[in-house]
Amino acid sequence: MRANLALAIGVACTAALVIPLSSPAAAHPAPNDAPVSARHTAATAPATGPAARSAATAPSARTGAAVSGSTQSVPLVGLRADQTTGAPQQGLSQRDTKPFSLLGVVWEEPAAALDGTVQVRTRAAATGDWSEWQDLETHNEAHGAEAGTAEGDADTLRGSTAPLWVGASDGVEVRVRAEAPREGSTAAAPLPRGLRVDLVDPGDDPAATPSPTTPGNTSVEPQPGSGETAADSPLTGSMLTAEESAASAVNAEHAPLGALEIPELSQADTEALYAEEAAERSEQAGQLPAAKPYVGPRPGITTRKGWGADESMREKNFVYTKSVQAAFVHHSATGNNYSCGQSASVLRGIYRYHVKSSGWRDFGYNFAVDKCGKIYEGRAGGVAKAVLGAHTLGFNSNSMGVVVLGTYSSSTPPAAAVTGVAKLTAWKLGLWGKNPKGTVTLTSGGSNLYKKGVRVKMNVISGHRDGFSTECPGAKLYGRLGTARSTAARLQGR
């Protein structure tokens, strides 16, 4: 019956790969392009001057085949200790680089804290002007997978700052300063070993393709990692890799294979399509089914294919948790200096940084929302499924992570972004029978607020700081979560 309804409302179901939703499979690290010590592109001694900048940004470098992006990794060098405090410093003097748009500072040991400040200046590729000094968020360990999990214990992990979006740039300057000695101490804490700056080129946006008006491809897709090539995508008219097919096939109930976007549905169509699933999930959770499914209308969601995720970077398998009982809201701390037209590039930059620099298995968050309220699929595995993310250390299980692109410590988030969070949570939490204005009890996997095994009562829509002592999602965004809860509940018909 649901298949007929899906066709009636324009949602094509693909007879494709089915990923089991039983106990989560352990994640196995995907092969790296090179040994860990050499996984990143080393920066060669750069040329200097305007001619070098023009060559680096020439249009010919971006023509022809699609560019999947790249990472330049430049080791930091020792600088003279701070003359006032004696605290150690490392950094880079101004230098030319290949083009990049996002950066972060990375170090060898993921458990080592960078107690200090990290500041960067960058040179705009278009004008040659240098920016003012900008701060990077250093305490990024609040994001990530729990220790004791395959992802949390992977040998690819590195310590890292939050990434910063700087726009098209071709020069960088860095300074890292350790905290001054604490009271009663004569020495400052050492800086982590192996400090480097990673400069990320997110590559080109995927080509725009009109949505089809007919049901999608119905061929059987190869298993992920099989090395086989998938059938033609009805949307792009091109061959999909096995990894692209797998990432798309898990959304087969919502859009054709290779779709760039999952279309929005009306309230009535969403309720009809998901009534049975809501009842089944209530039964699994030991709850009485609601008289009707309190689920918000499905919002439009840009797929990973739509924002240009390079599926060859992530690990091949998908990992699931049991359910989605709560949503944790974050800000990306990448700054607000991006346009909504650049959101896909920001996502590709964060994705590459999470995988290639921080060493995670995939993009950390389950979903992203930009300043214009547009919603994006995050970690691969299916937008309606309980995909295990790496977003709220201690509370990744049975939850979803939603990141709002930008920094909202002192900047007020746009109303459209808050509405986007409300629309997404009204739908996704509704699939699992959760009231956005309600509370839920979760078991901590271990954080700096709650020891492992502690049961914690918190809001169904919580901020990152509710599970871990951190500024995230920024005071201004955190102050808007009440509005998101009320709006989401209203969209569910509560």
Side-chain angles (χ1 to χ4, degrees), residues 2 5 9 11 253-254 262 265 267-281 293 295-298 383-384 427 430-431:
R2 293 202 307 271
L5 175 61
I9 59 178
V11 179
E253 282 193 85
H254 316 289
I262 294 169
L265 291 182
Q267 179 80 39
D269 287 338
T270 302
E271 288 181 359
L273 190 57
Y274 293 107
E276 185 175 337
E277 285 91 339
E280 290 174 355
R281 285 168 179 154
V295 56
R298 187 183 71 195
V383 294
W427 171 70
L431 300 182

Side-chain angles (χ1 to χ4, degrees), residues 184-458:
S185 175
T186 58
L191 292 171
R193 293 179 304 170
L195 285 170
R196 67 176 191 248
V197 61
D198 277 11
L199 310 174
V200 178
D201 173 8
D204 292 334
D205 286 329
T209 306
S211 299
T213 56
T214 57
N217 188 303
T218 57
S219 61
V220 176
E221 300 306 321
Q223 295 292 321
S226 67
E228 298 177 29
T229 302
D232 285 347
S233 162
L235 298 188
T236 63
S238 61
M239 301 293 280
L240 300 178
T241 66
E243 293 85 358
E244 288 173 332
S245 293
S248 184
V250 286
N251 290 319
E253 282 193 85
H254 316 289
L257 191 68
L260 305 184
E261 185 171 9
I262 294 169
E264 62 181 338
L265 291 182
S266 68
Q267 179 80 39
D269 287 338
T270 302
E271 288 181 359
L273 190 57
Y274 293 107
E276 185 175 337
E277 285 91 339
E280 290 174 355
R281 285 168 179 154
S282 294
E283 183 177 356
Q284 292 170 4
Q287 303 169 345
L288 292 175
K292 71 166 189 172
Y294 285 100
V295 56
R298 187 183 71 195
I301 302 172
T302 298
T303 65
R304 289 170 63 91
K305 180 72 173 175
W307 56 263
D310 180 353
E311 300 296 353
S312 69
M313 285 199 302
R314 62 171 173 82
E315 290 187 6
K316 301 298 183 293
N317 297 329
F318 306 132
V319 181
Y320 298 96
T321 184
K322 292 181 179 179
S323 64
V324 179
Q325 299 294 305
F328 287 98
V329 179
H330 306 254
H331 67 173
S332 62
T334 47
N336 302 320
N337 188 29
Y338 75 95
S339 68
C340 292
Q342 294 175 314
S343 296
S345 293
V346 176
L347 286 172
R348 291 195 304 279
I350 296 173
Y351 172 44
R352 175 170 281 276
Y353 186 78
H354 281 179
V355 175
K356 295 294 187 182
S357 299
S358 300
W360 299 356
R361 72 186 313 272
D362 192 356
F363 189 83
Y365 309 98
N366 299 102
F367 295 93
V369 179
D370 69 16
K371 63 173 65 175
C372 291
K374 192 170 183 178
I375 300 168
Y376 301 83
E377 179 185 16
R379 179 161 288 205
V383 294
K385 301 182 188 298
V387 179
L388 181 66
H391 47 81
T392 306
L393 186 63
F395 295 94
N396 289 305
S397 293
N398 300 321
S399 72
M400 59 186 272
V402 182
V403 64
V404 180
L405 299 182
T407 303
Y408 299 107
S409 300
S410 57
S411 298
T412 300
V418 178
T419 300
V421 171
K423 289 180 177 179
L424 172 63
T425 52
W427 171 70
K428 184 65 180 279
L429 292 172
L431 300 182
W432 298 87
K434 306 310 295 183
N435 183 346
K437 292 200 297 185
T439 59
V440 65
T441 299
L442 300 176
T443 301
S444 173
S447 75
N448 63 359
L449 281 180
Y450 303 104
K451 293 182 179 180
K452 184 176 181 178
V454 173
R455 288 174 59 80
V456 184
K457 185 178 181 179
M458 56 182 63

Side-chain angles (χ1 to χ4, degrees), residues 15 61 68 83 90 123 140 157 198 209 247 296 340 395 404 464 467:
S68 60
Q83 295 182 348
Q90 292 187 34
R123 185 179 60 206
N140 198 41
L157 296 183
D198 277 11
T209 306
C340 292
F395 295 94
V404 180
H464 186 181

